[in-house]
């Protein structure tokens, strides 16, 4: 939405919150990430205003408020399946009426394309060390899990491929 409260889970260096703030001054944006160095960088951008807030936090312990939109781009695969569902359910329960959840991640159900997605994460986490992983490793989500959870919670769910080469998919869940 062009206005309202937005939460970006796994915001990294704050690229998405800043882009959202640049395109509308009517947004109040919070970005969280468990990588403290990335949050420190995000907090020191010369474009930071009082409408952009960055918090060093693990999503599992984060104290949610009510939001009009919640974004989770490439973060759910850092959690185990039960945690993935728990986070999505927590997002749903903290979403205002008419709010949306945008999830971008590799869909393990797209088996042929998913091998390339896993390869990109090996580069990101093991070779380039750009992203930090927990001891439990990576666990890519199932598109079927997202669709079933949306149906169970009476939410609409649209999806679109984000790549022709990988299993990266964008899911847009809307609270009706």
């Amino acid at each position: 939405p062009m206005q309202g409260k937005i939460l970006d889970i796994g915001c990294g260096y704050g690229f998405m919150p800043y882009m959202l703030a640049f395109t509308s001054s009517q947004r109040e944006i919070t970005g969280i990430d468990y990588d403290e160095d990335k949050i420190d960088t995000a907090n020191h951008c010369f474009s930071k205003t009082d409408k952009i807030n960055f918090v060093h936090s693990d999503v599992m312990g984060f104290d949610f408020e009510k939001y009009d939109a919640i974004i989770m781009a490439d973060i759910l695969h850092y959690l185990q399946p039960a945690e993935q569902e728990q986070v999505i359910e927590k997002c749903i329960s903290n979403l205002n009426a008419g709010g949306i959840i945008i999830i971008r991640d590799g869909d393990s159900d797209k088996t042929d394309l998913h091998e390339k997605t896993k390869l990109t994460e090996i580069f990101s986490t093991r070779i380039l060390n750009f992203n930090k992983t927990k001891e439990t490793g990576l666990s890519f989500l199932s598109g079927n899990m997202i669709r079933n959870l949306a149906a169970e919670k009476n939410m609409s769910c649209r999806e679109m491929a984000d790549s022709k080469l990988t299993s990266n998919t964008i899911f847009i869940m809307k609270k009706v």
Side-chain angles (χ1 to χ4, degrees):
M2 293 303 288
Q3 62 184 19
K5 289 182 70 165
I6 300 170
L7 176 64
D8 182 7
I9 301 172
C11 69
Y13 293 111
F15 174 76
M16 182 64 71
Y18 281 114
M19 291 303 295
L20 291 170
F22 293 157
T23 57
S24 175
S25 63
Q26 305 282 322
R27 294 176 172 140
E28 183 181 326
I29 306 157
T30 299
I32 68 167
D33 202 291
Y34 71 85
D35 188 330
E36 190 170 11
D37 293 334
K38 289 180 180 179
I39 288 297
D40 285 344
T41 300
N43 270 316
H44 288 92
C45 180
F46 67 91
S47 298
K48 190 170 182 313
T49 68
D50 62 346
K51 293 202 174 206
I52 306 171
N53 184 36
F54 294 102
V55 178
H56 169 240
S57 180
D58 185 310
V59 67
M60 299 308 291
F62 183 70
D63 189 21
F64 279 60
E65 297 177 13
K66 291 289 188 181
Y67 300 95
D68 298 296
I70 299 173
I71 302 165
M72 292 180 280
D74 297 320
I75 65 108
L76 288 174
H77 61 270
Y78 291 95
L79 304 172
Q80 295 304 298
E83 294 172 314
Q84 293 170 358
E85 285 191 50
Q86 185 179 355
V87 167
I88 295 169
E89 287 178 354
K90 193 173 184 181
C91 290
I92 291 169
S93 67
N94 286 285
L95 201 60
N96 290 326
I100 62 169
I101 297 171
I102 300 170
I103 299 170
R104 180 199 184 267
D105 220 307
D107 180 353
S108 63
D109 297 337
K110 298 177 179 178
T111 52
D112 292 342
L113 294 173
H114 193 61
E115 290 305 312
K116 293 175 186 167
T117 301
K118 290 194 295 190
L119 182 61
T120 65
E121 284 303 313
I122 289 171
F123 277 98
S124 173
T125 59
R126 294 188 197 157
I127 296 171
L128 300 175
N129 294 318
F130 180 74
N131 291 319
K132 298 176 182 176
T133 59
K134 297 178 182 178
E135 305 81 40
T136 54
L138 304 177
S139 181
F140 287 90
L141 61 83
S142 160
N144 284 328
M145 181 271 290
I146 301 274
R147 288 185 287 279
N148 292 339
L149 192 55
E152 177 185 312
K153 301 293 182 180
N154 296 317
M155 297 184 74
S156 66
C157 183
R158 292 187 303 128
E159 63 185 272
M160 61 187 92
D162 193 41
S163 169
K164 292 180 182 177
L165 302 175
T166 68
S167 66
N168 291 332
T169 304
I170 298 171
F171 297 90
I172 302 169
M173 301 169 67
K174 185 169 185 176
K175 195 169 195 176
V176 286

